Amino acid sequence: MDKFLVRGGVPLEGEIPVSGAKNSALPTLAACLLTPEAVTLRRIPDVRDVRTMLHLLQLNGAQAERREDGSVCVTAAEISRPEAPYEVVKTMRASSLVLGPLLARTGRARVSLPGGCAIGARPINLHIAGLEQLGATLRQVHGYIEAEAPQGLRGALIHFDRITVTGTEDLLMAAVLAEGETVLENAAREPEVADLAALLVKMGAQIQGAGTSTIRIRGVSRLHGADHTIIPDRIEAGTFLIAGAITSGDLLVTGCNPDHLAALIAKLRQAGVEVRRAGNGRLRVRGRGRLTAVDVVTEEYPGFATDLQAQFMALMTQADGISFITETIFENRFMHALELVRMGASIRVVGRQAIVAGPRPLSGAQVIASDLRASASLVLAGLVASGETVIDRVYHIDRGYERIEEKLAAVGAQIRRLV
Ligand code: EPU
């Protein structure tokens, strides 16, 4: 199993590029199942979750290939096996994103139920309830959801009991080929949902309101091929901003969309970090040494992203004062806190809140990555710790960050992969 070896204490300086968004790549790849024609998606990051999704599309009968220029071309001329098997779903929960498209395209789908995971329960009850409202029949058999809609799906008014990102995406993909109008209420407003809708519109779908909490879809009988460049990864960009801040560095984060990072930027500024727009999708971050503790509460977009909570906690270990970090999206997303404590941080977890007292000098240790964003937080802690940090199970970080060690090393970090 690969590990990272990090030697801390070097301020990061220079330009660091952002890849395409993993969480846009996954739904837009699933959307390729909705048409028999070829879809080209550009800026698709070469990360493990994307490879898993490409494998899943191939299992479904699609041709899916990555080209030299980073684009991916998918042609689902025929769907021979409308299924997401357990072996795939257990490594990537977002596999349930194929449920809506498979059902809409073929009238049936068989998708393994995701189990628990390191960050908490990841149920898909809201995906299921929504598809039932679109007229599908779903039953649970041997750990799988078996869905059928032999007469096709019919538009409906769907009100989500709670906001779900992939649930909104799944229902959006089902509704574009349903007969009549569908309205999704209390929909997720994440930029990745709007990006998926932008692709679907290029494919011939009729969608209004994506990016707001009410999305209206008028079903069409057929979608066609398209060419689409996905949005930059706001979580990767946010991780790099925090890397600049925590190392008291001076980084230019390029190829990002600053508008998608407003909540993080506001918190960084409150903490005393200088973040400036440097034109054309670029943000300059300068750590000025002394940081002030600030509180954060994770929320759905446009609130502070749960996917940046672990990284921000690493930063707060270096801030002066007490920071209250409240996680409202997932119930068990504090596994990194215990590892940060092993590196010298003072963090107490009480229910959904972590109380971080700082600043505390961190010292390198052997730590274990428990999930994707937790691993990023440990890398950040390693960058500021004295001595060597060895991070085990970096396959978690490879799920969602494209060559993070190479990107960080290029701006001065002392980090290398041990294989
Ligand atoms: N939920 C339900 N029922 C459902 C669906 C969700 O109760 O049917 C609950 C979940 O248990 C959770 C909350 O609703 O407590 C929000 O979950 P959501 O469905 O929004 O999460 P997701 O769609 O499974 C996506 C991202 C996650 C990100 C969350 C929240 C993708 C592929 N994944 O997950 O990204 O944390 O939204 O923003 O888009 C990551 O990239 O590291 C990652 C975990």
Side-chain angles (χ1 to χ4, degrees):
M1 248 184 265
D2 291 11
K3 297 182 171 73
F4 279 163
L5 174 68
V6 186
R7 269 195 200 92
V10 185
L12 302 188
E13 280 170 16
E15 282 190 29
I16 190 159
V18 173
S19 299
K22 171 194 75 109
N23 289 348
S24 263
L26 298 177
T28 52
L29 284 167
C32 298
L33 294 170
L34 288 164
T35 175
E37 297 182 19
V39 178
T40 299
L41 295 173
R42 300 183 190 275
R43 211 179 174 184
I44 296 292
D46 188 12
V47 296
R48 203 158 57 91
D49 275 4
V50 163
R51 285 184 223 137
T52 305
M53 184 56 95
L54 292 174
H55 173 62
L56 178 56
L57 298 181
Q58 286 160 351
L59 284 179
N60 295 148
Q63 280 184 354
E65 61 185 57
R66 178 176 279 283
R67 299 189 185 131
E68 292 272 299
D69 63 358
S71 66
V72 165
C73 183
V74 181
T75 312
E78 269 176 65
I79 309 276
S80 49
R81 188 180 166 201
E83 181 173 325
Y86 176 66
E87 295 68 45
V88 178
V89 177
K90 78 174 181 205
T91 62
M92 187 183 68
R93 261 142 250 282
S95 310
S96 50
L97 279 169
V98 299
L99 179 57
L102 288 175
L103 190 57
R105 171 90 185 274
T106 70
R108 63 200 175 94
R110 187 168 179 271
V111 172
S112 172
L113 278 167
C117 94
I119 64 175
R122 304 286 291 276
I124 57 165
N125 58 306
L126 299 172
H127 304 225
I128 293 169
L131 292 170
E132 279 176 342
Q133 280 176 275
L134 292 181
T137 310
L138 292 98
R139 52 189 197 124
Q140 187 179 330
V141 194
H142 306 307
Y144 278 76
I145 292 297
E146 292 186 352
E148 272 184 0
Q151 315 304 328
L153 299 169
R154 285 185 316 274
L157 170 66
I158 295 168
H159 181 93
F160 289 102
D161 282 350
R162 80 173 278 181
I163 297 174
T164 159
V165 178
T166 52
T168 301
E169 293 164 348
D170 217 1
L171 268 294
L172 182 55
M173 289 187 278
V176 288
L177 286 181
E179 198 187 318
E181 194 186 48
T182 299
V183 180
L184 303 179
E185 285 182 354
N186 200 26
R189 292 180 286 167
E190 268 64 6
E192 292 76 16
V193 174
D195 198 26
L196 170 65
L199 166 68
L200 291 169
V201 166
K202 285 183 189 166
M203 292 167 72
Q206 296 191 12
I207 303 168
Q208 280 179 339
T212 75
S213 49
T214 304
I215 307 179
R216 287 175 193 280
I217 304 124
R218 181 156 291 284
V220 296
S221 56
R222 201 185 142 78
L223 294 175
H224 51 73
D227 189 317
H228 181 70
T229 303
I230 65 165
I231 57 172
D233 197 308
R234 63 195 166 95
I235 306 302
E236 186 196 27
T239 304
F240 294 156
L241 290 178
I242 297 173
I246 202 169
T247 62
S248 301
D250 184 352
L251 274 185
L252 192 63
V253 179
T254 62
C256 64
N257 185 336
D259 293 341
H260 295 166
L261 288 153
L264 173 68
I265 292 171
K267 286 294 168 188
L268 287 172
R269 285 181 178 150
Q270 272 179 37
V273 180
E274 186 185 321
V275 185
R276 279 197 295 120
R277 287 182 184 241
N280 213 7
R282 291 155 24 129
L283 281 169
R284 182 165 181 193
V285 60
R286 275 198 282 194
R288 287 183 293 202
R290 203 180 155 87
L291 292 162
T292 311
V294 292
D295 299 337
V296 298
V297 179
T298 63
E299 282 169 0
E300 293 88 359
Y301 189 85
F304 191 95
T306 172
D307 288 345
L308 286 168
Q309 177 259 107
Q311 301 89 315
F312 201 80
M313 191 184 294
L315 182 69
M316 286 299 99
T317 67
Q318 301 307 298
D320 194 12
I322 307 243
S323 163
F324 289 85
I325 298 179
T326 311
E327 173 60 57
T328 72
I329 308 294
F330 292 109
E331 77 265 27
N332 186 27
R333 209 172 193 182
F334 283 141
M335 307 276 272
H336 45 281
L338 297 172
E339 297 299 289
L340 292 173
V341 166
R342 293 189 56 250
M343 296 176 72
S346 165
I347 305 171
R348 202 151 66 88
V349 174
V350 184
R352 293 195 162 212
Q353 206 162 52
I355 304 153
V356 187
R360 290 282 190 282
L362 300 182
S363 64
Q366 295 200 5
V367 289
I368 293 186
S370 54
D371 74 66
L372 169 55
R373 308 304 171 185
S375 352
S377 137
L378 297 177
V379 169
L380 294 170
L383 291 175
V384 75
S386 61
E388 280 185 6
T389 298
V390 178
I391 304 165
D392 203 352
R393 302 200 188 160
V394 296
Y395 59 84
H396 285 296
I397 211 163
D398 293 332
R399 281 188 40 215
Y401 288 88
E402 193 173 42
R403 302 187 313 276
I404 191 171
E405 76 282 21
E406 288 176 28
K407 289 190 185 185
L408 290 173
V411 289
Q414 298 207 355
I415 178 169
R416 64 190 173 91
R417 184 181 289 263
L418 307 175
V419 289

